[in-house]
Amino acid sequence: MRSLCTVGGFGRLLARRFSGVARPGGEELSRLLLDDLAPAQRLERLFGLSPCLLALRAARRHVARLLLQAGKAGLQGERAELLRVAEAQGIPVLRPTRRKLDALCGYGVHQGVCMEVSPLRPRPCDEAAEASPGDDPQQLWLVLEALQDPRNLGAVLRSAHFLGVDRVITSRRNSCPLTPVVSKASAGAMEVMDVFAAPDLAGFLQAKAQQGWLVVGTVSCPGPEVSQSSKVPITSCLEFVWDRPTLLVLGNEGSGLSQEVLASCQLLLTILPRRPLPPGLESLNVSVATGILLHSICSQKKGFPAQERGQLQDNP
């Protein structure tokens, strides 16, 4: 391992190079360290400005060190804030080369920021299973069965957080773990959300139905033969009335909901297309469909005064 460049030594080097010139972020740059970035054990590399900053604020992970690349103008805005938060928490801050940081982040879009952190795991579903509907008829939980694409999962989590979903439940089997790619695709929403994992998703849904929750599955645009043969009613998402605590269930990117989970649903929602579709285009990407379905349901949320809605229309 090469010797570390001390904080003072790096500061003196910058002082000699930029003597007499006020540079944004110069003081912050003088506190960065150089390191050969030997890989840490049992840690993963979280990358991207928003995921790293939100992870630091949430303090749900152990952070071993922050790898921060500063441009010619120094550290400004959120990068400077990231450095201040890390230093306040006593987290070592290192300054890798661009080539090294690219390699460490798997050549993803890291925005010059990477942190070595402990993995983030879904929480056990016991707590979620015991929660009763309570007095609020407009609770909405999002249930995901066997989503496997990390970018899809990240986009789904971002939409769920933005639109006010109360909880997210995933199936423990055949589901994408909460990886740094998921966090980056969620713009960091994964770092501040509670995601639960159910070992028996069908059993979980049946238990929630007995507690008074409405279990609503989703299907792609059904043909006449599917509508007639389905034992579960199918309706357009635009006709759905949200008047009781609801679990919205979405399935795998390719196969959709399993038969076991489908049989646990009391209602199926679909998104109707606005034109005839050729074979292969009958369905939407799961993250796109999730955003449409959640917006259709959450727009019915009570407690958003008509006066405020009018003010938003008058002042876009």
Side-chain angles (χ1 to χ4, degrees), residues 63-246:
V63 181
R65 52 188 180 179
L66 168 65
L67 315 177
L68 189 60
Q69 185 181 42
K72 295 180 180 179
L75 296 173
Q76 300 178 0
E78 290 185 324
R79 283 180 177 79
E81 181 183 355
L82 187 66
L83 178 61
R84 286 191 291 270
V85 174
E87 288 189 329
Q89 297 182 15
I91 297 169
V93 181
L94 313 176
R95 182 175 179 263
T97 64
R98 173 62 183 267
R99 177 180 296 181
K100 189 74 172 180
L101 195 58
D102 287 346
L104 288 171
C105 297
Y107 300 94
V109 182
H110 51 69
Q111 299 173 293
V113 178
C114 174
M115 291 197 315
E116 291 185 343
V117 297
S118 60
L120 198 61
R121 310 292 188 193
R123 296 173 58 180
C125 207
D126 298 343
E127 178 185 340
E130 295 172 358
S132 60
D135 298 328
D136 184 5
Q138 289 193 317
Q139 292 187 59
L140 181 62
W141 292 10
L142 181 63
V143 181
L144 308 172
E145 183 188 21
L147 257 67
Q148 296 179 345
D149 186 314
R151 290 173 179 81
N152 276 340
L153 179 56
V156 165
L157 293 178
R158 183 175 185 177
S159 295
H161 187 66
F162 182 87
L163 292 169
V165 168
D166 296 296
R167 287 186 180 176
V168 176
I169 316 293
T170 66
S171 58
R172 182 167 295 172
R173 291 176 296 177
N174 301 320
S175 289
C176 174
L178 300 180
T179 66
V181 174
V182 175
S183 187
K184 184 66 169 65
S186 75
M190 188 188 89
E191 303 299 323
V192 298
M193 297 180 69
D194 284 330
V195 179
F196 298 83
D200 177 13
L201 197 58
F204 169 80
L205 296 175
Q206 293 163 13
K208 300 306 290 183
Q210 292 177 359
Q211 293 176 2
W213 293 74
L214 178 64
V215 181
V216 178
T218 52
V219 292
S220 59
C221 180
E225 67 285 350
V226 176
S227 300
Q228 294 174 6
S229 63
S230 176
K231 297 180 180 179
V232 183
I234 302 175
T235 186
S236 165
C237 63
L238 298 178
E239 298 175 359
F240 174 72
V241 178
W242 185 26
D243 56 3
R244 57 189 287 197
T246 299

Side-chain angles (χ1 to χ4, degrees), residues 28 43 56 104 110 157 160 215 259 275 304:
E28 286 86 352
L43 295 175
L56 279 180
L104 288 171
H110 51 69
L157 293 178
V215 181
Q259 289 300 314
R275 62 176 53 171
F304 190 65

